[in-house]
Amino acid sequence: MKKIELEIKALSPLAISRQKPGSSINETMDYIPGSVIRGAIAARIIQESGNESEDLSKAENGGDFQALFLSENPAIFQNAYPAKNVEIKDNYAKKVKGKGKTKQPQNVETKNEIRTQKDVKVLPTTAVSSKTKPGFKSKDKPLENNGVFDTLIDRFCAEINGCLYDPNCPVDGGRVEPFSGFYSYHQEKEKYYQHSTSKRLLTRTGINRKRATSEEEVLYSIEVINELQKVITEDKSKKNGELIFCSAILVPDKLADSLANFIKQRNDLFRFGNSKSRGLGKVEITAKVVDIKLNLEERITDFNEQLKERWEKWQVFNNQEEKQPSLKNRTYFTLDLQSDAILTENWQRTMVISPEMLQEFSGVEDSSLELHVAYSSYDYLSGWNSAWGLMKDVELITRKGGVYLFSTKQLEPWLEGLGKVENQGVGERTFEGFGQVIICDEFHLIFREEAV
């Protein structure tokens, strides 16, 4: 498998909405689902091929289209999450050794560069922030936000040692609440950023079906995502930049280049979302083929080292030495949902990934695998299938951000299996972007005293 990295630049407002079952209100989403990207590319291929009336599910008729969209192992279209535009000083600024200052060469004009934070992740459900001043800390405005930290490891250690874990804000000692959304880490600035989109309402007039003209006293509004977003500048000035979403497509090696070239040659012909005939949904897509690289073993090692350190600190509160639990001979790892998931066990919908389900997803048999904690919530989702002209079934979904903590006595056979899970996802309809996961999200290593 190879990965096609996508940068989707909004050229017009986007109306990507969802309607919850039983509701009459359309809610505009903050991201572009993988199913929308998949449908737009598939529709463009069918339209240009002229085979709209043929059965493309058969290999002799469908060719590459059948392999990409209708085979047993189709291409996986991941969700596109909003990126962040950050202004960076140019490389003329050099660090002075032994000092925390920057030195600018004389008689050199400094030019700042706008960079896009592409490595966008979903904050885990276990992340919390101050109720009164939520958000990531800022060096420029230290009093504005009190920071964000994760509670998974500390809560696990506290409960196992028989302690009550009730964290408070590390700055003012106030109450903390769950903090959700998208985030990224800027290595040069050593800073975390929260990613979001801004929205507005577009008001339009209704059309008279008989006369094909504006109908009197008929107005409606469409909530859309703005095609521009604010840029974080060095001089704190207000500046608007391009709205970019980042996604990826996982495809077989032999089809990666051909699909990427197809997208490049038609990069400004795709339309996403609703109201495309009204000028909405125009985007420009940049595609790049890259190899899949996973630092899976490194993440698992770092997670277990931090877990052992916190475990030793929490054991101080356990006075019954003979009953103290131990982490010896077990390796712990987490599954963090990066998108909504459709999970089924014994023909029933569920919100928990059981050890049996994980063994099935990964293809690894391990009787020592154990699920310790699960943090998840549910929602309902439906949709519209343009190819069929019908509503999709109502699904019970596990919401993105869910966290599952597992442990095993034998890590070696799991490295390949967990790599497969991280690439292909878990649950049903993974080819539409459902069930994306990351193993041992690094945000779990941010503790209360080191809130960011």
Side-chain angles (χ1 to χ4, degrees), residues 118-135:
K118 301 178 183 178
D119 188 15
V120 188
K121 298 179 182 178
V122 177
L123 279 166
T125 303
T126 50
V128 297
S129 185
S130 169
K131 180 180 180 179
T132 56
K133 295 183 178 180

Side-chain angles (χ1 to χ4, degrees), residues 2 4 63-69 71 73-75 251-262 289:
K2 283 192 175 182
I4 302 177
D64 290 346
F65 181 89
Q66 191 272 343
L68 284 172
F69 298 96
S71 63
N73 298 306
V251 296
D253 294 350
K254 62 179 181 179
L255 297 176
D257 292 330
S258 59
L259 179 58
N261 291 332
F262 178 86
V289 180

Side-chain angles (χ1 to χ4, degrees), residues 161-292:
N161 284 281
C163 300
L164 176 65
Y165 183 70
D166 186 18
N168 59 1
C169 178
V171 177
D172 57 18
R175 181 179 174 181
V176 294
E177 291 188 341
F179 187 76
S180 60
F182 309 109
Y183 81 99
S184 67
Y185 177 68
H186 197 289
Q187 293 184 349
E188 294 182 21
K189 289 193 170 187
E190 297 181 350
K191 183 178 178 181
Y192 284 85
Y193 291 101
Q194 185 180 13
H195 295 222
S196 60
T197 57
S198 59
K199 302 173 185 177
R200 71 178 189 267
L201 286 175
L202 298 179
T203 303
R204 296 288 187 266
T205 59
I207 302 300
N208 186 293
R209 300 297 182 184
K210 294 181 179 180
R211 295 184 286 112
T213 57
S214 298
E215 180 72 22
E216 293 184 2
E217 301 181 356
V218 176
L219 296 174
Y220 66 94
S221 296
I222 304 174
E223 187 181 31
V224 298
I225 301 174
N226 289 326
E227 65 272 32
L228 298 176
Q229 70 168 341
K230 294 181 181 179
V231 178
I232 301 176
T233 60
E234 291 287 343
D235 57 1
K236 315 301 179 298
S237 61
K238 294 182 179 180
K239 184 187 295 186
N240 287 329
E242 301 168 340
L243 174 60
I244 295 178
F245 294 85
C246 294
S247 177
I249 307 174
L250 302 182
V251 296
D253 294 350
K254 62 179 181 179
L255 297 176
D257 292 330
S258 59
L259 179 58
N261 291 332
F262 178 86
I263 296 174
K264 290 177 183 178
Q265 294 169 6
R266 301 156 181 83
N267 64 337
D268 59 348
L269 298 180
F270 295 98
R271 301 291 186 274
F272 290 161
N274 305 329
S275 302
K276 293 186 282 289
S277 61
R278 298 176 177 86
L280 304 183
K282 185 177 182 181
V283 297
E284 181 180 321
I285 304 179
T286 302
K288 179 182 179 182
V289 180
V290 298
D291 293 326
I292 299 176

Side-chain angles (χ1 to χ4, degrees), residues 62 107 109 125 148 182 193 207 315 328 340 381 407 426 430:
N107 302 324
E109 182 180 358
T125 303
V148 185
F182 309 109
Y193 291 101
I207 302 300
Q315 276 194 326
K328 293 181 180 179
D340 297 333
L381 179 68
S407 72
V426 296
T430 54

